[in-house]
Amino acid sequence: ALRAFVDAMMRLEIAPTLAADGLDPERYRRRLLERFANPALRHRTLQIAMDGSQKLPQRILDTVRDRLTSGDSIERLALVVAAWIRFLDGVDEAGRSHAIEDPLRDALAALLAGADRQSAQASGGKSEAERDRIACICAFGPVFGTLGSERRFIDAVAHQSTRLREGGVRSALAAFD
């Protein structure tokens, strides 16, 4: 399910934004998926999530900006952002804790705590509280820049965050089938 999701995200949401001279997006996508599938690589998923505050802006958020400018879908990219935010909670779906290794770890922890307090005090329903929580997190300029003021981005990330919280990763991925 994860492979199918990444494949579709690369084809449908990332490749259309790539315009580098000499780059063949289709070949790049195929080679990257082959690399991800290589069991000989000793790169753990947790290592990929480390330093997310540094990786997310250059690997995902610039593409989000391009897609927003063109009016195209960002739903898969929004799931990536929502998953990173979920990861920052420090607990996986099975209730196991994991360390957050990120140069902005303390600021992010304070940000999440503040966002959780704010959403708990929200007078609207669950979806409005989640949207407020995500808006608070995405207002964090060192990671999101001006995306925190983009309603379409906030709504998409909040929608995917709700999917993750209510149904877990498998359910969120299956929603794209």
Side-chain angles (χ1 to χ4, degrees), residues 114-130:
D116 288 342
R117 279 191 306 274
Q118 183 176 330
S119 70
Q121 296 170 355
S123 59
K126 279 175 48 175
S127 64
E128 188 64 29
E130 185 63 11

Side-chain angles (χ1 to χ4, degrees), residues 25-39:
E26 178 62 22
R27 182 172 180 262
Y28 176 75
R29 180 189 61 78
R30 282 193 318 269
R31 291 187 70 201
L32 196 54
L33 289 171
E34 287 170 12
R35 183 171 174 242
F36 289 163
N38 184 347

Side-chain angles (χ1 to χ4, degrees), residues 52-130:
S53 70
Q54 310 303 296
K55 294 173 182 174
L56 201 67
Q58 60 182 306
R59 296 185 180 159
I60 298 295
L61 300 181
D62 284 342
T63 304
V64 167
R65 286 180 186 88
D66 290 345
R67 301 284 294 175
L68 288 171
T69 298
S70 63
D72 294 318
S73 172
I74 59 165
E75 289 302 313
R76 288 172 181 82
L77 295 163
L79 179 56
V80 172
V81 175
W84 178 69
I85 292 170
R86 175 69 180 91
F87 172 79
L88 292 175
D89 288 340
V91 180
D92 69 15
E93 290 181 350
R96 295 178 299 248
S97 63
H98 56 262
I100 306 300
E101 294 188 30
D102 193 292
L104 298 178
R105 177 184 58 216
D106 294 341
L108 292 166
L111 177 69
L112 261 60
D116 288 342
R117 279 191 306 274
Q118 183 176 330
S119 70
Q121 296 170 355
S123 59
K126 279 175 48 175
S127 64
E128 188 64 29
E130 185 63 11

